[in-house]
Amino acid sequence: MSIVNNDWLTLNIGGQKFTTCRSTLAREPNCMLARMFAPESALRPCVQDADGAYLIDRSPRYFEPILNFLRTGSLFIDPNVNPAGVLEEAKYFGMESIIPQLEEITQDYSIPRDERALTRRDVVEALIGQASFSDRTDRPDRTDRGLRFQGLNLEGADLSKLDMTNVNLKYANLKGARLNGANLSWSQLERADLSHAQMEGTQMLGVKMLCANLEGANLKGANFEDPAGASANLEGANLRGANLEGSNMSGINLRVATLKNVNMKNCDLRQAILAGADLENCNLSGSDLHEANLRGANLKDATLELMQTPLHMSQTIR
């Protein structure tokens, strides 16, 4: 003998059937779905199909995220589903708890895709896709070409601890991005905007950052030295007000870079090229400048206390 569970019911939404529980629909007690299927409700749909499913003339495509929200308490929308449609369904069914969230998503969605800031998820998916491509055995060319994010908007993105080696980020907008502990080694960051980015402990071996904007960035403890000898190139970069304390910058090229008011305490700057750099009011105390090239550099009001290697005239004069 079969047992009938009156808590279960089937909805026919625009021709697609969804099986769920009354208790699930009741999780938002003031919404139309909860009131439609409450015991003794006067709003219960009066029409059922041949299988007994309750007919509701709405879009199943936009209804599914709402039902899943009632099931899990979290809002998930397939990338191919327009959130504006889900918002209209939420308004129709009186789902007040998710309307503000959907309105925010819809506002972002209205911005053209190529103008929206990429998220950590976007980058991770691209990295995974690149890894899968690199692992293919049927490729005629097995060389790692790297990813191209040239000129894209990554402002404020959380990219911490990601492996982004060999990535092309030329002209990219990385303002305020979080890159703590990330690996940007051998990446291309020419003229990228990294102002006020958080880059503490970032690996930047052999990175190319000509004329990049790093004003106010936190690069404390970053590592620029490539044991294989490929020097990091930050020629002409703007590092005004940045924090580079304790960074390993042996052999780095900072020719004609702007380093005003930079914290470079206890840095390894052996064989660094600082010719023509603006080091006004820069704190270089405790740093190692052995064989560094400081010819033509502006050292006005720079702090040079406790230097591991005394500066010589040949280092500072053309």
Side-chain angles (χ1 to χ4, degrees), residues 120 123 127 157-165 167 169 174 177-187 189 194 198-205 207 218-224:
R120 181 182 181 88
V123 174
L127 291 170
D158 180 6
L159 306 174
S160 55
K161 299 183 179 179
L162 293 183
D163 184 355
M164 299 179 68
T165 55
V167 173
L169 288 156
L174 288 149
R178 285 169 285 172
L179 289 149
N180 296 326
N183 190 349
L184 289 168
S185 299
W186 309 292
S187 289
L189 284 149
L194 289 140
Q198 297 300 312
M199 304 175 72
E200 189 168 347
T202 302
Q203 295 295 312
M204 305 180 76
L205 286 62
V207 71
N218 178 13
L219 291 139
K220 186 176 181 179
N223 180 27
F224 292 88

Side-chain angles (χ1 to χ4, degrees), residues 156-303:
D158 180 6
L159 306 174
S160 55
K161 299 183 179 179
L162 293 183
D163 184 355
M164 299 179 68
T165 55
N166 295 302
V167 173
N168 181 346
L169 288 156
K170 294 180 182 179
Y171 304 98
N173 177 8
L174 288 149
K175 289 181 183 177
R178 285 169 285 172
L179 289 149
N180 296 326
N183 190 349
L184 289 168
S185 299
W186 309 292
S187 289
Q188 307 293 319
L189 284 149
E190 288 93 331
R191 300 187 184 276
D193 189 347
L194 289 140
S195 55
H196 304 287
Q198 297 300 312
M199 304 175 72
E200 189 168 347
T202 302
Q203 295 295 312
M204 305 180 76
L205 286 62
V207 71
K208 305 302 180 186
M209 303 181 80
L210 284 78
C211 300
N213 181 13
L214 290 146
E215 184 169 354
N218 178 13
L219 291 139
K220 186 176 181 179
N223 180 27
F224 292 88
E225 183 183 13
D226 183 2
S231 300
N233 190 346
L234 280 78
E235 184 171 341
N238 174 20
L239 288 135
R240 186 190 299 265
N243 182 7
L244 286 153
E245 182 176 352
S247 293
N248 183 358
M249 296 185 285
S250 179
I252 194 171
N253 181 358
L254 285 163
R255 190 187 305 272
V256 299
T258 299
L259 295 154
K260 278 188 177 181
N261 303 304
V262 172
N263 178 3
M264 297 177 77
K265 291 174 61 178
N266 303 314
C267 287
D268 185 346
L269 287 159
R270 292 171 299 163
Q271 298 181 329
I273 301 172
L274 290 153
D278 188 350
L279 291 151
E280 183 176 344
N281 203 37
C282 179
N283 188 346
L284 287 158
S285 59
S287 292
D288 187 351
L289 284 152
H290 181 64
E291 295 186 353
N293 181 353
L294 285 150
R295 293 176 180 174
N298 176 16
L299 290 162
K300 181 181 178 182
D301 298 324
T303 304

